[in-house]
Amino acid sequence: MKHRIPLAKPEILQQDRDAVLEVLNTSQLSMGARLANFEEAICAYTGSKFAVAVNSGTSALHLCLRVLALPENSEVILPSFTFAAPLNVLLQEKLHPVFAEIDPVTLNVTAETIAAAFTPRTKALIAVHTFGRPLDMQSIRELAQERNILVVEDACEALGAKVHNQMAGTFGEVGALAFYPNKQITTGEGGIFLTSNTQLAERARRLRNQGRDPSFGALQHVEAGYSYRLSDINCALGLSQLRRLEETLQRRHSIARLYDEKLACIPQIARPPLTSPYGRISCFAYVVQLAPPLGADCRDWICNAMERHSIGTGKYFAPLHLQPVLKNSVRPQLPVTESAANRVIALPFFNQITDAEMEEVCAALAASLAGFTAGFSRRKQ
Ligand SMILES: Cc1ncc(COP(=O)(O)O)c(C=O)c1O
């Protein structure tokens, strides 16, 4: 359903339209110059040695796991409090997910929670910078080296986040970025595989296009590959958006700051920290938590009330370990994840949100929360 104040909205300016139209006026809509330009621009921006653009963040993440070629049934550590993609690619690659607990404030995994999930069968970890908040990659990398496991960095929500001075996505053996329309920049659909390893980059490039090796003839495919290409139309949009990414990140940060100020007077709402000791946050979403003992009933009440005002909200994330796809697996104990998941509310967050819209969101949130607590005290009498 289309909301008057949506949860997310891409920012498409005239220069984006012009860039797309320029490609449409050529005869090369795929595997052309814009693809190469987009990959080069991402390398220049992130400092990654190689970038392979694909048709989604999930495809990028899939290539990450595929090129690492872990033995079947190897354990891979990931957060449960995240989007479905990391779990899906593990299951598709016949790898065994082991969930790490999160920190209750940052909603991110830590080196400690990852260490607690480690077993002798662990072969890799997927480090997800949830909501664009940088993880302590230094400690996570040290831990991975100590335990001799590989690091996949899921920076799909974190384009432009920095860990100290290095860009998120460039810390692991392999990494992924994503460009769905709710992201910091969009290509419509799209993602990118990052690595500094020549062999892994070559393999990802080959797998993206039917397993064809560019050094052989066009119809020589050397392994079973995928159709994960990203068109030049998407790349042109991405290139255009990338040019103003730094400005976009500043704007998103100032929106987060405004929300922070407007919500400071509601004690039952815990606001996300706006800084990180590990580096620069790249604001992907603005996610508040209800303070306990408020829980899922209050959260659902608020989201329904906001819906009636045609204001979009999100309940990110539903824990992965509770998903029906894992119903036959042993259920891990993740009390922090489960508690947070019941209390999170993502508020409308996009570049062009106005001050008046934010005001309205905060007023609707405060009013519905007050409505719930008044009803609750009446029900108790
Ligand atoms: C953490 C994370 N990983 C992977 C993805 C996958 O990206 P896509 O939707 O482009 O497939 C997303 C998308 O939002 C994500 O949030």
Side-chain angles (χ1 to χ4, degrees):
M1 129 142 209
K2 202 164 171 349
H3 294 106
R4 200 165 39 77
I5 308 179
L7 181 55
K9 187 162 78 173
E11 180 188 69
I12 305 297
L13 304 182
Q14 190 54 44
Q15 61 258 39
D16 301 324
R17 293 190 186 89
D18 292 344
V20 168
L21 202 59
E22 215 178 291
V23 179
L24 290 175
N25 288 332
T26 71
S27 55
Q28 189 146 24
L29 302 191
S30 188
M31 304 299 275
R34 298 304 186 291
L35 171 66
N37 295 345
F38 185 49
E39 291 178 340
E40 282 157 18
I42 288 285
C43 282
Y45 181 77
T46 59
S48 179
K49 196 161 172 200
F50 301 104
V52 180
V54 288
N55 57 3
S56 73
T58 307
S59 301
L61 212 49
H62 184 208
L63 293 186
C64 286
L65 271 310
R66 183 36 66 112
V67 299
L68 292 183
L70 302 173
E72 222 172 87
N73 292 319
S74 300
E75 288 184 3
V76 179
I77 298 172
L78 75 164
S80 169
F81 186 79
T82 186
F83 187 64
L87 173 63
N88 280 335
V89 298
L90 289 186
L91 298 179
Q92 282 155 8
E93 287 299 302
K94 298 194 167 45
L95 297 167
H96 186 73
V98 176
F99 295 107
E101 190 54 288
I102 50 169
D103 175 271
V105 175
T106 66
L107 303 175
N108 262 321
V109 294
T110 64
E112 290 72 30
T113 64
I114 292 171
F118 188 86
T119 81
R121 289 179 301 284
T122 309
K123 292 283 185 286
L125 65 91
I126 304 182
V128 185
H129 302 275
T130 300
F131 304 140
R133 175 174 295 282
L135 296 174
D136 178 4
M137 288 310 296
Q138 235 157 332
S139 305
I140 290 173
R141 229 167 43 171
E142 273 166 28
L143 174 74
Q145 265 158 11
E146 231 170 69
R147 309 284 174 107
N148 199 24
I149 64 170
L150 299 170
V151 175
V152 176
E153 203 183 347
D154 182 338
C156 286
E157 298 175 11
L159 174 66
K162 288 183 189 170
V163 183
H164 304 302
N165 264 330
Q166 190 177 331
M167 288 285 183
T170 63
F171 285 85
E173 272 70 31
V174 286
L177 299 172
F179 310 116
Y180 188 74
N182 63 353
K183 297 296 188 301
Q184 290 86 338
I185 68 165
T186 188
T187 55
E189 293 279 0
I192 213 154
F193 165 98
L194 302 176
T195 190
S196 58
N197 179 306
T198 311
Q199 280 82 34
L200 298 183
E202 277 171 6
R203 181 133 193 247
R205 214 168 276 289
R206 191 162 75 208
L207 286 168
R208 163 176 72 180
N209 191 18
Q210 306 293 349
R212 287 177 185 159
D213 192 321
S215 54
F216 296 107
L219 291 178
Q220 303 283 318
H221 48 113
V222 293
E223 65 176 318
Y226 306 96
S227 185
Y228 280 174
R229 294 175 308 276
L230 185 67
S231 86
D232 280 50
I233 306 169
N234 303 92
C235 292
L237 179 55
L239 269 167
S240 178
Q241 298 234 322
L242 191 57
R243 276 187 207 114
R244 61 175 187 276
L245 175 57
E246 284 300 309
E247 232 171 89
T248 297
L249 295 183
Q250 277 175 24
R251 168 73 187 136
R252 293 173 84 88
H253 200 77
S254 68
I255 296 167
R257 249 196 335 261
L258 276 170
Y259 264 136
D260 190 70
E261 283 164 19
K262 290 179 197 297
L263 294 172
C265 56
I266 312 178
Q268 301 96 323
I269 300 282
R271 285 126 43 224
L274 295 181
T275 56
S276 162
Y278 307 121
R280 177 171 83 164
I281 299 172
S282 165
C283 298
F284 162 56
Y286 190 81
V287 180
V288 297
Q289 295 188 59
L290 296 175
L294 296 174
D297 49 351
C298 177
R299 192 268 307 274
D300 294 346
W301 168 284
I302 291 171
C303 291
N304 291 339
M306 308 272 275
E307 180 74 32
R308 286 195 295 278
H309 286 91
S310 197
I311 297 173
T313 54
K315 302 174 188 179
Y316 324 138
F317 285 103
L320 295 179
H321 71 284
L322 302 180
Q323 297 308 310
V325 69
L326 292 180
K327 64 180 183 299
N328 297 326
S329 306
V330 179
R331 186 170 152 174
Q333 296 293 308
L334 296 165
V336 182
T337 293
E338 290 184 24
S339 168
N342 283 334
R343 294 180 291 105
V344 280
I345 308 175
L347 300 180
F349 191 75
F350 48 93
N351 298 359
Q352 289 164 317
I353 193 166
T354 63
D355 195 67
E357 285 173 326
M358 271 185 273
E359 226 15 271
E360 191 181 334
V361 169
C362 295
L365 177 59
S368 54
L369 177 59
F372 179 86
T373 37
F376 184 71
S377 50
R378 265 201 310 278
R379 285 192 292 279
K380 271 183 79 181
Q381 277 162 15

